Amino acid sequence: MTTQPLLIELFTEELPPKALRRLGEAFAQSIVNDLNKAKLIKADTAFESFATPRRLAVLVQGVRSQAPEQAFTEKLMPVKVGLDSEGQATPALLKKLASKGLAHLTVADLSQESDGKQDYLIAKGMAAGVSLKQHLQSIVEKAIDSLPIPKVMRYQLADGKTTVKFVRPAHGLVALHGDNIIPIHILGLEASNISHGHRFMGQTDITLNNAQSYAQQLEQDGMVIASYQKRLENIRQQLEQTATTLNLTIGQDSAVEDLLEEVTSLVEYPTIYIGQFEEKFLAVPPECLILTMRLNQKYFPLFDKHTGKLSHQFLIVSNMAVKDPHHIIEGNERVVRPRLADAEFFFNTDRKQTLASRVDQLNHIVYHNKLGTQLARVERVRALSRYIADKLGANSAEADRAAFLAKADLTSNMVGEFPELQGIIGAYYAKADGESASVAQAIADQYLVRFDQPITEHNLTSVILFIAERIETLVGIWGIGLLPTGERDPYALRRAALGIISAFDALNASGYFKYTDKLKLIDLLHTAQALFVKAGIDINPHTALEVQNFIFERLRHQLQTQHNRFVVDAVLALNPHLDEVIDRVNAVSQFTALPEASSLAAANKRIGNLLKKVEGNIPALHKEKLSEAAEITLANLIENIAPIVQSHFDKAEFTQALQHVAQTKEAVDAFFNDVMVMAEDDAIRQNRLALLNQLHQTMNLVADLSKLAQ
């Protein structure tokens, strides 16, 4: 059976740029999936999706005009319903066959099969495959209906009567199978072989030779690069080449990639031009200039290759290729100048007031109507910062000062215009006011997503504020009942939890948990909860414990991507100190590789089950009352090993602790082979349970080993 390429193109008004790539991919994938389901293509058939600001399209190779015959098995109805007493078809059966398109079948063509309860009439045979011409309409309609459209528009068609819904008004439809038009009708449009070129360059209407020539004809005749990915790489290459000629660079951070995606969705035939602004604006913090150029104007700022400093030049991604672009360049420079002047004005105006003098203004900004103002929040974060600093042996005054100033820039003109600069601009103002470098850095670092940099005395204040701010958020928001649900997490509590985990990991890796009175997550959460209660805020009394569980659940998901889930569950079952989790997981992972591990895990589970049956408290062990050789041997071994295991555990030497636990295997096996734990004599039974309780406590210091039993 011969096959040909299939092209579907929907030509529209300008599509939402931030959703364009997703729309293009979804449109193509839906059509390909349904062609495959209909057996009109093979499962591995190649296809290419296209998306420009004014079109969605897909080119699928090797599409059949008619799907091959398909074997079918149709369960019709019980025999007693479908056949009368003489074995002839009942009206019910005839009606069923007609509804299934099987009216040509007779009773002799049907088979009978039992489902274990009764016999059924079964129709089997070969059915003609679907026709592309007949089926394509429903395939494209489904693709359109299932698009992840951010917001649907309603608009009237040319007849002035019919209203349709789509992301943007559609003005053209192409459906070509090879060079044949498939007559489908979508959104009031009839399919043709006419596509459309660039709005200002190339041919307006392009008659396509065939489906395969689509991309080439659009680019050559219509000045449109239809492939989203090809257009993106074209822009990237032009940007890098132009920057190189200036001995500058566009940078490599994620913001560059985000902007590259956005401009790809705004142009159909990209051309790069060089613009510039007055060098006096470079006195403004570069983040302000970079943000306004990228966010408001979609320009690519340029940086010195060696120092990384912002230059006074930028690159414009234009949708127009002209011989003399000076009008385009001047127009863009004229537009950006007032933006930069505004940033300069805001910066200079803000500088007339110190950051510290702005703090009182936070009393007029509501943080949450149940949690009070931003100033009230600052006081809680200050208290938590001092608490954390004391536990880590850090400078409490520095931590308090950073927390005091942390939110002050919310009242600045610059943050009012550019909310994305929270913390960043505050750090500039703190430096200008003569605040210490560690305080200024902490203000800037408070909005990091993760704290995964090594901790030194220079950024210790930063990690303290980072933790305090997130603990206050988690306890406060959780405490008033605003928990994350499904995919909804408006207060970013999941991100806050992951941030805390990253900070504890960084502190642990840098040796800041070597103190006896170290920072403990549950104590920190209880301290935060007490601050809300002291302020008279009605907060769930179980908040601290629930938030700890929430953080550990985030940690569980994170760890299970890298470690055995049984190992992770064994460690987290004990709610260990957050900073110890990774070391414990690594130790238990090594323990599971020991030959004694599986036997001890099974024994541990058995012991746990026995101890659960004990009513009341388990009594103390009376060693002198032990009589069986196996139980005496086990008791002596526990007496010797338990202090050693405890000593290693206290020093956070978890691997060594478990290695000594492994030495109990022979004695434990012998005990369960030779000793009846649940003896009839109550005193003997209680004493043996007391012995097992001691063993259980020693075995489970590092992790709940019963979780390893599978």
Side-chain angles (χ1 to χ4, degrees), residues 255-358:
V256 173
E257 294 302 314
D258 292 342
L259 181 56
L260 187 57
E261 287 272 348
E262 190 167 1
V263 296
T264 301
S265 300
L266 291 169
V267 299
E268 291 188 316
Y269 197 84
T271 305
I272 307 302
Y273 300 119
I274 304 167
Q276 61 182 15
F277 56 83
E278 291 88 338
E279 293 189 49
K280 67 171 185 172
F281 290 124
L282 293 175
V284 178
E287 290 87 349
C288 307
L289 308 182
I290 293 167
L291 187 64
T292 193
M293 282 190 282
R294 286 176 175 168
L295 187 65
N296 300 117
Q297 306 306 134
K298 315 306 176 191
Y299 300 153
F300 286 81
L302 291 169
F303 306 88
D304 185 280
K305 274 188 174 182
H306 306 292
T307 65
K309 288 185 177 180
L310 179 67
S311 79
H312 71 293
Q313 293 177 291
F314 58 89
L315 298 182
I316 305 157
V317 180
S318 174
N319 198 30
M320 292 288 291
V322 296
K323 292 182 179 179
D324 183 6
H326 79 274
H327 291 299
I328 294 175
I329 295 170
E330 287 178 1
N332 280 278
E333 291 175 344
R334 191 163 55 249
V335 169
V336 77
R337 192 172 294 113
R339 290 280 187 178
L340 302 182
D342 286 346
E344 181 185 44
F345 173 78
F346 294 145
F347 179 66
N348 291 333
T349 302
D350 286 343
R351 286 285 311 280
K352 295 175 182 178
Q353 188 177 351
T354 65
L355 202 58
S357 68
R358 294 181 175 276

Side-chain angles (χ1 to χ4, degrees), residues 496-640:
L498 292 172
I500 289 170
I501 292 167
S502 71
F504 270 72
D505 285 346
L507 284 165
N508 184 44
S510 302
Y512 277 94
F513 288 119
K514 60 186 177 182
Y515 305 100
T516 303
D517 185 25
K518 66 181 177 181
L519 181 65
K520 299 172 185 174
L521 176 62
I522 190 61
D523 292 345
L524 179 56
L525 292 168
H526 278 300
T527 300
Q529 182 174 321
L531 291 172
F532 287 97
V533 173
K534 184 178 179 180
I537 296 171
D538 185 14
I539 196 169
N540 172 10
H542 306 295
T543 296
L545 183 58
E546 290 178 6
V547 170
Q548 178 186 244
N549 293 339
F550 176 70
I551 292 173
F552 273 110
E553 198 56 34
R554 297 301 99 205
L555 181 58
R556 185 191 312 279
H557 292 314
Q558 191 178 76
L559 290 173
Q560 285 181 349
T561 63
Q562 303 169 352
H563 301 276
N564 181 287
R565 68 182 181 89
F566 297 107
V567 170
V568 174
D569 289 344
V571 171
L572 295 185
L574 301 185
N575 283 334
H577 297 315
L578 190 55
D579 57 284
E580 294 179 353
V581 171
I582 293 297
D583 292 338
R584 292 198 194 199
V585 166
N586 289 332
V588 176
S589 295
Q590 293 181 45
F591 172 76
T592 58
L594 298 175
E596 300 89 352
S598 60
S599 176
L600 285 173
N604 188 272
K605 186 174 183 178
R606 182 177 180 182
I607 295 168
N609 291 334
L610 289 170
L611 295 176
K612 287 176 185 176
K613 298 176 182 178
V614 177
E615 296 181 1
N617 296 325
I618 297 175
L621 173 68
H622 295 285
K623 188 177 176 184
E624 70 280 1
K625 295 182 180 180
L626 300 174
S627 58
E628 299 284 345
E631 61 182 343
I632 294 172
T633 299
L634 180 60
N636 289 335
L637 183 61
I638 294 172
E639 188 174 32
N640 292 330

